[in-house]
Amino acid sequence: KKTAIVSGAASGIGAAVCEQLRHAGLRVIGIDLRNSDICADLATASGRAYAVEAALCLSEKRIDTLVCCAGLGPQAEPVAQIAAVNYFGVTALLDGLFEALQAGCRASAVVVSSSSATLQAWEGNPLRQAYLDGDEAAVQAMLANLPPDLAPQAGFIAYASSKNAVACAVRQRAASWGRAGVRLNAVAPGAVQTPLLEAGLADARYGEGIRNFIAPLSTRARAEPADIAALIGFVASDSAPFIHGSVVFADGGIDAAMRPHHF
Ligand code: NAI
């Protein structure tokens, strides 16, 4: 039986991914803060190290599918946690489990980015070098010392920049992972009906912006977690053998509407 590791397994998209992969016949090992096979805090270096160690142990160092869903929304406090989980929590799993993926059967990994990644493009991402260097302290210091005009948007900047950086982390690894025969992709959802989205909508600072983030698709304003899980399941599966290094949008057309000349 193939083995999958899924972070953020206890809720929303991650829970739907677990269901999807189990349905497809995989053995699924979940990682989350609580209510999971591996309970670990991906915001901290020690929590990440524990998660990697436990995943290697439970999988016997052979992983066929890795899905990184764990993440925090722009409303999460403190803001430092957002970059810690959304970027450093993801790259720690990718790099820590890469060898076990190489031992897997036609293995692949999928990272959940966000359509908001394009709102903070890599070229204009003020945190870019710090992310690239893997310098978590520098990222945290920059978020804590934003200019006064940007400070009220700190949560959104942390969120969008981390989602942009994590999509770039996928692109940056595509060449070396490809040579190793392990596929790696990102999925970038628009608004998905989950507790994370509900918390954002309820937040006085970001609620209105999120409410206005409406997909042009008339039949569906928001996705359900299962819609995104179906895409992740496909991209991760043997049915997508040539999809590698891609950032696949599932956003009801939001990105196309905002950036009609970019793809
Ligand atoms: P959710 O809140 O339902 O699930 C996220 C899971 O991540 C939770 O179970 C939570 O406990 C876990 N998590 C958070 N911090 C953690 C930590 N420090 N250590 C371990 N686990 C931790 O949210 P949802 O919406 O399912 O989000 C999944 C991913 O999808 C996130 O990366 C999110 O940024 C992304 N996303 C969500 C969108 C949405 O509209 N819901 C849109 C675009 C991307």
Side-chain angles (χ1 to χ4, degrees):
K1 210 169 188 180
K2 286 191 167 195
T3 298
I5 306 284
V6 179
S7 79
S11 176
I13 298 169
V17 167
C18 291
E19 201 181 315
Q20 157 87 26
L21 295 178
R22 281 197 187 103
H23 188 73
L26 281 80
R27 168 192 175 215
V28 178
I29 299 166
I31 303 174
D32 209 303
L33 285 170
R34 53 193 77 85
N35 303 327
S36 224
D37 303 294
I38 300 170
C39 295
D41 183 358
L42 295 171
T44 67
S46 58
R48 291 169 205 148
Y50 171 72
V52 166
E53 194 187 313
L56 290 175
C57 179
L58 291 178
S59 67
E60 292 167 6
K61 298 190 179 165
R62 198 187 58 79
I63 298 169
D64 305 292
T65 303
L66 168 66
V67 183
C68 298
C69 286
L72 293 172
Q75 77 292 335
E77 297 279 0
V79 163
Q81 295 274 109
I82 302 171
V85 180
N86 293 10
Y87 182 80
F88 295 99
V90 171
T91 52
L93 291 182
L94 291 179
D95 297 337
L97 300 178
F98 180 48
E99 230 177 274
L101 282 160
Q102 291 180 69
C105 175
R106 294 186 294 278
S108 80
V110 179
V111 165
V112 179
S113 174
S114 162
S115 58
S116 69
T118 60
L119 300 176
Q120 181 73 80
W122 184 243
E123 297 74 27
N125 188 337
L127 307 167
R128 157 184 168 170
Q129 195 56 45
Y131 278 122
L132 197 61
D133 295 341
D135 189 343
E136 190 166 0
V139 170
Q140 307 302 14
M142 289 174 81
L143 286 171
N145 295 298
L146 288 170
D149 57 320
L150 294 179
Q153 292 296 311
F156 180 73
I157 291 170
Y159 186 76
S161 71
S162 69
K163 290 300 183 183
N164 178 269
V166 90
C168 292
V170 164
R171 308 273 296 169
Q172 284 157 2
R173 283 162 180 74
S176 58
W177 282 48
R179 283 192 295 273
V182 181
R183 290 187 305 108
L184 172 62
N185 293 285
V187 162
V192 189
Q193 200 61 52
T194 69
L196 181 150
L197 185 77
E198 288 301 334
L201 287 167
D203 187 280
R205 297 160 302 169
Y206 303 112
E208 195 187 342
I210 297 171
R211 249 185 302 281
N212 292 336
F213 205 58
I214 295 171
L217 192 65
S218 68
T219 48
R220 203 49 94 97
R222 288 182 193 146
E224 293 298 327
D227 302 332
I228 306 302
L231 174 62
I232 292 172
F234 170 73
V235 170
S237 77
D238 290 345
S239 302
F242 208 52
I243 300 183
H244 178 55
S246 291
V247 182
V248 185
F249 284 81
D251 67 354
I254 288 178
D255 184 56
M258 286 191 309
R259 305 187 311 149
H261 304 295
H262 290 85
F263 57 88

